[in-house]
Amino acid sequence: MQHALHLHALGGAHLSDRVDAIVVGAGLSGLVAATELADAGRSVVILDQEPEQNLGGQAFWSLGGLFLVDSPEQRRMGIRDSLDLAWQDWLGTAGFDREEDHWPRLWAEAYVAFAAGEKRSWLRQMGHRIFPIVGWAERGGGSATSHGNSVPRFHTTWGTGPGVVEPFERRAREAEKSGRIRFLWRHRVDNLVRTGSAVTGVAGTVLAASTALRGEETSRTPAGDFELNAPIVIVASGGIGGNQDLVRQMWPARLGRPPAFMVSGVPKHVDGRMIGITRSAGGQVINRDRMWHYTEGLRNWNPIWQNHGIRILPGPSSLWFDATGKRLPAPFYPGYDTLGTLQHLMATGYDYSWFVLNQSIIRKEFALSGSEQNPDLTGRDWKLTAKRAIGKKATGPVEAFKEHGEDFVIAESLGELVAGMNRLVGSNLLDVAQMEREILARDGQVANPFAKDAQIMGIHNARRSLGEKLVRTAKPHRILDPAHGPLIAVRLNILTRKTLGGIETDLSARVLGENGEAIPGLYAVGEAAGFGGGGMHGYRALEGTFLGGCLFSGRNAGRAAAAALG
């Protein structure tokens, strides 16, 4: 009866009597796992609670950044990197300090080796290409053994997020034509089916069809139920970033109080349901208090999903002030230490902060996260991309936010700017004299090619990297110099994004139970598994590592599951 329901939902399509594997989630990690299984000759069903237009999940919306080590792109730019240096940076960033970090650390070590090894060539043979300028994310600002990337490692996909999804969507569609992969859209898994100690299938609700655009909220109206059995089930359902109630519930005390207001960096359907369902089926979930949220979120003036937030990817020159007008201390500068900055800001008692900059800085240093905010890179348009390096204007999407975004204040004088900032938040927290002292003191540091201000020192350091000098870091100048105006202030909100903890797995991506033993038939990948092992990032990320974790864990799971099937 339930099998017949599937046939009806598929419009008469024929589903083979035997299915080798079920993948729950049609995002990047699920597509990778499914295509690896299909390439090994296995039959796979991919279920997703959303409609087909959401194929690729959150990876589609991303900038497509990938963490690579000692790549040809780095070497061409004179960047000296190595596996040893990258592993040192990873360990200093992750801060593994728990008994539960056994498998996450092993996953991290394997992943960094993958990033320094076959990751690039594996993707390249599928048609993936990389923009030639390497970015420098999470610069740290502490000691050599603490958090941060010692060198630029952020490799942007030519084609952004869609360019990462593309090779695996193509492989999946080819396998679909040959009958090795079937997609069941609007199938929400509510339970994992167990036979003895093994997971042998999934059961849930068929949701009403939806024509909502990608990312838009869809209904949860039931249209039936289903059960599907297979010897392998792979959970690839993503994290909790779209469920703000759950984010606040898991919020760690070390980051202060949970923000009262946050913008959402992912759609509402990124709800964490399958993590709880896997836990109910006996899977161990670890490091739930580890998460990755950004401090540079904007309210999207043209939103796709509810409370849609966009992150500024900043260069190092904007001055950062808290809500009361105090300049943030070292090393909490733009692009240096995401969670350190978040912890500092939460201690101020306010959910927002400010960038103060000018037109010369926004033109060169502001990029926005998301494939839809970078039409030049997403559309693989070299002519449009080249405009990033010329003229007085920023990219079209950045200028649109400057014009329409409710978080922006533009002014010709500092007094006018501060008055506008106070009006925007409905308070008089900001004092123009105090802010002028800070900005003038900072401006006095740019007269020489050396300085005592750590942020100015960081700007000089950044411009020693060719990529930063060309497209990401403005030449040092006085912020209050009218020649570089107008002045700009940007209200920054906390933006939810990634789940760093998750379902505990071994290196084959098999889900582990509370006794530490693998649950037969059950695997977990991607963000649901903390990108590998239940949290391979530890407490912090080096960036470019989220998509990479989906790729690596999906590949491991697909190959291990295919081998387990014999």
Side-chain angles (χ1 to χ4, degrees):
M1 191 68 157
Q2 290 159 326
H3 194 68
L5 177 64
H6 269 304
L7 296 179
H8 176 72
L10 286 167
H14 292 290
L15 197 62
S16 63
D17 290 336
R18 175 179 170 80
V19 174
D20 291 318
I22 300 164
V23 175
V24 183
L28 181 60
S29 63
L31 287 175
V32 176
T35 52
E36 290 292 325
L37 276 157
D39 283 355
R42 306 302 178 183
S43 59
V44 186
V45 171
I46 303 175
L47 308 173
D48 201 291
Q49 67 180 356
E50 295 305 305
E52 185 171 5
Q53 47 270 36
N54 282 279
L55 179 67
Q58 305 327 300
F60 177 91
W61 296 109
S62 74
L63 187 60
L66 295 174
F67 177 90
L68 295 172
V69 178
D70 193 25
S71 69
E73 289 77 18
Q74 286 175 302
R75 293 194 293 272
R76 279 195 290 269
M77 297 185 69
I79 299 165
R80 297 180 181 178
D81 201 4
S82 70
L83 175 58
D84 287 343
L85 182 61
W87 182 233
Q88 174 183 292
D89 287 347
W90 193 288
L91 285 177
T93 296
F96 296 123
D97 62 359
R98 299 174 178 176
E99 185 178 343
E100 295 90 343
D101 285 330
H102 171 73
W103 287 110
R105 182 181 171 121
L106 290 177
W107 269 92
E109 189 170 12
Y111 173 69
V112 175
F114 176 62
E118 62 179 314
K119 179 179 177 181
R120 182 182 181 278
S121 60
W122 176 63
L123 289 169
R124 188 171 179 82
Q125 59 89 21
M126 287 184 270
H128 178 272
R129 294 295 182 267
I130 294 169
F131 186 64
I133 296 177
V134 184
W136 197 355
E138 290 297 300
R139 304 167 195 226
S143 69
T145 57
S146 63
H147 168 68
N149 285 293
S150 297
V151 298
R153 296 191 178 105
F154 191 89
H155 296 68
T156 302
T157 297
W158 187 232
T160 67
V164 177
V165 174
E166 201 173 78
F168 302 98
E169 179 179 359
R170 182 174 61 248
R171 288 171 61 189
R173 294 304 190 188
E174 290 169 356
E176 185 181 27
K177 289 177 183 176
S178 67
R180 286 172 290 146
I181 285 180
R182 295 283 188 225
F183 288 96
L184 295 181
W185 302 104
R186 299 295 280 159
H187 281 60
R188 184 186 70 195
V189 173
D190 299 324
N191 295 289
L192 295 174
V193 177
R194 297 196 64 165
T195 303
S197 63
V199 169
T200 56
V202 297
T205 304
V206 181
L207 301 174
S210 173
T211 58
L213 298 177
R214 180 190 289 270
E216 291 182 347
E217 186 174 352
T218 57
S219 79
R220 292 295 177 258
T221 303
D225 55 14
F226 71 94
E227 182 173 323
L228 184 63
N229 298 310
I232 298 290
V233 174
I234 301 175
V235 176
S237 54
I240 69 172
N243 185 341
Q244 290 202 5
D245 290 339
L246 192 54
V247 168
R248 290 187 178 93
Q249 183 183 331
M250 296 296 115
W251 191 271
R254 66 180 176 277
L255 293 180
R257 60 172 183 83
F261 175 79
M262 297 182 284
V263 290
S264 293
V266 293
K268 191 174 181 179
H269 64 252
V270 185
D271 55 17
R273 287 183 74 254
M274 279 304 303
I275 297 175
I277 290 168
T278 303
R279 189 179 188 186
S280 296
Q284 180 83 337
V285 178
I286 59 175
N287 299 319
R288 300 192 76 186
D289 63 320
R290 292 179 180 171
M291 51 185 66
W292 187 256
H293 306 305
Y294 292 108
T295 50
E296 312 100 332
L298 302 173
R299 294 166 172 86
N300 194 345
W301 67 272
N302 188 23
I304 296 169
W305 54 80
Q306 182 181 358
N307 198 27
H308 188 176
I310 295 293
R311 186 204 172 196
I312 297 170
L313 305 171
S317 300
S318 297
L319 277 180
W320 204 333
F321 294 91
D322 69 21
T324 69
K326 294 183 177 69
R327 185 182 174 191
L328 269 58
F332 307 134
Y333 304 133
Y336 276 62
D337 183 349
T338 292
L339 287 197
T341 306
L342 177 59
Q343 182 178 0
H344 176 84
L345 290 174
M346 288 299 93
T348 68
Y350 295 90
D351 297 340
Y352 68 93
S353 59
W354 296 98
F355 276 168
V356 173
L357 59 152
N358 58 32
Q359 182 63 29
S360 291
I361 293 173
I362 200 172
R363 187 201 71 76
K364 192 155 189 176
E365 297 196 5
F366 267 36
L368 299 173
S369 65
S371 53
E372 81 284 10
Q373 300 296 332
N374 295 274
D376 51 351
L377 297 171
T378 302
R380 300 180 175 98
D381 187 328
W382 282 110
K383 186 176 180 180
L384 190 59
T385 302
K387 290 184 177 179
R388 290 178 179 244
I390 59 176
K392 286 207 69 174
K393 288 191 174 183
T395 64
V398 171
E399 290 291 339
F401 263 88
K402 196 178 82 173
E403 180 179 354
H404 303 293
E406 63 181 283
D407 294 308
F408 282 75
V409 180
I410 316 296
E412 295 297 331
S413 70
L414 184 60
E416 182 186 351
L417 187 77
V418 173
M421 294 162 74
N422 280 329
R423 279 196 303 272
L424 184 61
V425 297
S427 75
N428 290 307
L429 285 172
L430 302 176
D431 177 69
V432 65
Q434 175 189 336
M435 296 189 69
E436 185 176 42
R437 282 194 298 272
E438 286 284 4
I439 298 171
L440 287 174
R442 177 265 182 210
D443 281 359
Q445 296 282 301
V446 300
N448 298 289
F450 45 84
K452 76 171 185 178
D453 186 284
Q455 185 173 3
I456 301 299
M457 292 164 64
I459 293 168
H460 289 309
N461 187 44
R463 286 177 59 84
R464 292 189 180 97
S465 167
L466 179 60
E468 292 290 309
K469 186 173 184 177
L470 287 174
V471 299
R472 286 293 286 154
T473 304
K475 184 177 181 180
H477 63 274
R478 292 182 295 113
I479 286 178
L480 296 181
D481 184 347
H484 294 275
L487 294 172
I488 302 165
V490 187
R491 178 178 56 186
L492 307 173
N493 309 280
I494 308 303
L495 179 142
T496 64
R497 187 61 66 86
K498 297 299 180 186
T499 309
L500 297 189
I503 302 164
E504 186 176 25
T505 65
D506 65 12
L507 284 176
S508 294
R510 298 182 302 171
V511 174
L512 304 179
E514 291 184 2
N515 60 2
E517 298 295 322
I519 298 174
L522 185 59
Y523 296 70
V525 296
E527 194 172 350
F531 302 96
M536 74 171 188
H537 293 93
Y539 289 94
R540 286 180 168 87
L542 286 171
E543 290 286 21
T545 55
F546 302 128
L547 293 176
C550 292
L551 294 168
F552 186 57
S553 62
R555 191 176 93 143
N556 276 16
R559 294 182 178 187
L565 287 165

